[in-house]
Amino acid sequence: MATEDKNRATAAAILPLVGGAANVSSVVHCMTRLRLGLHDRSLVDDEALKALPAVMGVVEDDTYQIVLGPGTVARVTPEFEKLVEEGRAAAPEPATAAEPAPAPDTTAAELAAQGAAIKAARKAKNATPFKLFLRKIANIFVPLIPALIGCGIIAGLNGLLKNLGWLMSVTPALGAMASGFMALIAVFVGYNTAKEFGGTPILGGAVAAIIVFPGVADIEAFGQKLSPGQGGVLGALGAAVLAVYVEKWCRRWVPEALDVLVTPTLTVLISGLVTIFGLMYVAGEVSTAIGDFANWLLSNGGAGAGLVLGGFFLPLVMLGLHQALIPIHTTLIEQQGYTVLLPILAMAGAGQVGAAIAVYLRLPRNESIRRTIKSALPAGLLGVGEPLIYGVSLPLGRPFITACVGGAFGGAFVGFFNQLGSAVGSTAIGPSGWALFPLLDGNHGLGTTIAIYAGGLLVGYLAGFVATYFFGFSKDLLAEFNVSQEPVASTVAATGTPATPVTDPAPEPARA
């Protein structure tokens, strides 16, 4: 089957299982997930979706998220959007006087009310102001990740060629390719920020562009000369948010006849002045403090800091709080050329891999779980952890905790070498596991950096395996799951207490 036909077939298989085109209100995707806005959550067939070969798992948050994996999701999403549009175009107009459905009206109404109540309760649980703000931050930075990855790999290749003394006539061109995006990243952040907060995107980009304009070097604020790029992405974020509020104020008070001239002018003028004579300096100080704190934390905390970061990263992801780290990563990349936090956080995935291998060995009779592990393990090694988390460790309960232990030990290993003075960083955000190798950078040469990161992965694999093999299963849990089963539909609470297999649905994963 051609790749395009395969992607369309995947989209066509998913659409009816989420209630059809009429039930889809929005379609977007991130690095690994197809994120759908749905009118009625009760129309979704979760188990049938999970059974599709291309689907690695499902997660419910403010949107319904179908895990397809990197690469695949970017190809399936356009086909899914086409099918949704075709389905809406072909749908008949709703009848004004349709005959009653054969099912009793009261039953249908009750079911609809229950579904709406469940949906509302879930949304309310996840709609705290702080989490909504973090989602906006994520929506600003996630679209930038492909460029960060591409430019980061080119930067790594350029550094390797320079160290080897090869193709020296080409390295300046590669340096320009690698650095061009980072030099203007503030503009893209400003554009996305204005778009996310309801303003005119190009005005957000225009105000943020002031930060990277070389001419600001001639301007003095707070008794100091400004420097181009001072404040970085944090300054761009603040400048664009301010521009949105100024623009909205202008839209309310400026007469319509003058709006096209006055509103953009006042937006750029007022926001620009505040940015130049306030935000750039303040954001610059904050950015510097973030970099200094990250370096201090790993230089002094070392193994302890790495243990905490690596061990608690997966719970943070499941609570949605990891999104707060995105601008921190980006700020560190701007300042130092790499983020020292990501390689440590990536150890959480190594713990999952080790735990999954232990589960595979501890449940030799459970063909279903072993089959899931075999299919999900390659993705886990490449840093795509959702299939192992939601398909194996989290439903079982204890193995999720022991996997976090593996991540803690891997993080401690990398943190220990940071404390010794060997910084290990990533030039981009997004990839993890083995996929992070092309993006590694540090202060003691590429060979040392790769060796430390690889050592951390091995420690994470081993610690996750040992912790899960010896402490991940109670006797009751083994008796419950080490039997031949149909595809897993059983559940275990986070405490490790087993539930009746096959008949009970798997517990819903913790959500943001």
Side-chain angles (χ1 to χ4, degrees):
M1 183 185 292
T3 301
E4 184 175 345
D5 294 338
K6 179 182 178 182
N7 295 327
R8 189 171 180 84
T10 299
I14 291 173
L15 184 56
L17 300 180
V18 295
N23 195 39
V24 178
S25 61
S26 64
V27 181
V28 294
H29 75 87
C30 61
M31 291 290 292
T32 60
R33 304 179 186 184
L34 174 63
R35 298 172 179 256
L36 304 178
L38 302 174
H39 295 296
D40 187 351
R41 171 66 180 81
S42 66
L43 298 179
V44 178
D45 190 337
D46 296 290
E47 296 306 318
L49 274 171
K50 294 175 186 177
L52 293 178
V55 174
M56 299 177 176
V58 297
V59 182
E60 188 175 356
D61 200 341
D62 56 327
T63 56
Y64 190 79
Q65 303 169 16
I66 302 172
V67 184
L68 298 174
T72 301
V73 69
R75 292 169 173 81
V76 171
T77 300
E79 299 298 332
F80 187 86
E81 290 175 326
K82 290 177 187 176
L83 291 175
V84 170
E85 290 301 319
E86 291 170 7
R88 288 172 179 168
E93 291 294 325
T96 55
E99 292 185 8
D105 290 339
T106 51
T107 302
E110 288 172 359
L111 290 175
Q114 290 174 9
I118 292 171
K119 182 179 179 182
R122 286 170 176 161
K123 281 194 172 183
K125 182 179 178 181
N126 291 297
T128 63
F130 181 64
K131 289 185 178 179
L132 291 175
F133 175 75
L134 289 182
R135 289 193 190 107
K136 285 183 178 290
I137 297 298
N139 291 339
I140 291 166
F141 286 93
V142 166
L144 306 180
I145 289 177
L148 284 168
I149 293 172
C151 294
I153 291 176
I154 293 173
L157 175 62
N158 190 46
L160 179 62
L161 292 176
K162 284 183 176 180
N163 291 335
L164 295 174
W166 295 353
L167 301 176
M168 297 306 291
S169 61
V170 178
T171 53
L174 292 177
M177 297 176 200
S179 302
F181 173 73
M182 289 305 302
L184 297 174
I185 190 173
V187 179
F188 297 102
V189 170
Y191 184 95
N192 287 348
T193 300
K195 181 179 179 181
E196 184 65 25
F197 280 84
T200 302
I202 197 64
L203 291 179
V207 174
I210 297 169
I211 292 173
V212 295
F213 178 59
V216 298
D218 300 325
I219 302 172
E220 190 174 291
F222 295 95
Q224 299 179 10
K225 287 279 189 179
L226 296 177
S227 59
Q230 185 173 339
V233 295
L234 298 182
L237 188 78
V241 170
L242 176 61
V244 169
Y245 281 99
V246 173
E247 180 187 359
K248 289 180 178 180
W249 181 87
C250 290
R251 300 288 183 202
R252 286 199 306 269
W253 296 102
V254 174
E256 290 185 6
L258 300 175
D259 182 74
V260 69
L261 296 175
V262 174
T263 296
T265 303
L266 287 179
T267 298
V268 175
L269 179 63
I270 296 172
S271 304
L273 288 172
V274 175
T275 298
I276 292 171
F277 293 105
L279 282 177
M280 284 185 68
Y281 175 81
V282 173
E285 293 298 306
V286 173
S287 298
T288 301
I290 289 174
D292 291 343
F293 177 73
N295 291 330
W296 175 87
L297 179 65
L298 295 179
S299 296
N300 294 277
L307 184 119
V308 172
L309 291 172
F312 284 93
F313 183 61
L314 282 180
L316 283 179
V317 170
M318 302 191 67
L319 292 171
L321 300 178
H322 68 295
Q323 295 166 343
L325 297 173
I326 297 177
I328 295 175
H329 286 312
T330 311
T331 298
L332 292 173
I333 292 171
E334 267 192 319
Q335 288 183 339
Q336 304 172 5
Y338 52 80
T339 167
V340 292
L341 298 179
L342 187 59
I344 292 176
L345 300 176
M347 296 301 118
Q352 285 291 330
V353 169
I357 296 173
V359 171
Y360 185 88
L361 295 178
R362 290 288 272 165
L363 302 178
R365 298 176 185 173
N366 193 316
E367 300 89 350
S368 178
I369 288 181
R370 287 165 67 90
R371 190 163 51 245
T372 299
I373 293 171
K374 283 193 290 187
S375 64
L377 200 56
L381 291 169
L382 293 173
V384 182
E386 286 97 336
L388 291 177
I389 295 171
Y390 296 113
V392 181
S393 65
L394 187 62
L396 289 172
R398 280 193 186 182
F400 178 77
I401 297 172
T402 53
C404 292
V405 171
F409 275 84
F413 181 89
V414 178
F416 175 72
F417 280 93
N418 270 277
Q419 190 172 11
L420 295 180
S422 296
V424 177
S426 170
T427 56
I429 57 177
S432 184
W434 292 4
L436 197 62
F437 277 110
L439 296 168
L440 291 176
D441 197 1
N443 60 353
H444 280 117
L446 189 58
T448 302
T449 301
I450 290 176
I452 295 172
Y453 180 72
L457 288 178
L458 291 174
V459 170
Y461 296 153
L462 183 60
F465 175 86
V466 171
T468 304
Y469 192 90
F470 291 103
F471 305 105
F473 291 89
S474 64
K475 290 182 179 179
D476 290 339
L477 194 62
L478 274 177
E480 186 76 27
F481 280 93
N482 193 24
V483 293
S484 180
Q485 294 181 344
E486 291 299 314
V488 176
S490 54
T491 183
V492 178
T495 59
T497 304
T500 305
V502 180
T503 57
D504 291 346
E508 189 174 281
R511 298 185 301 274

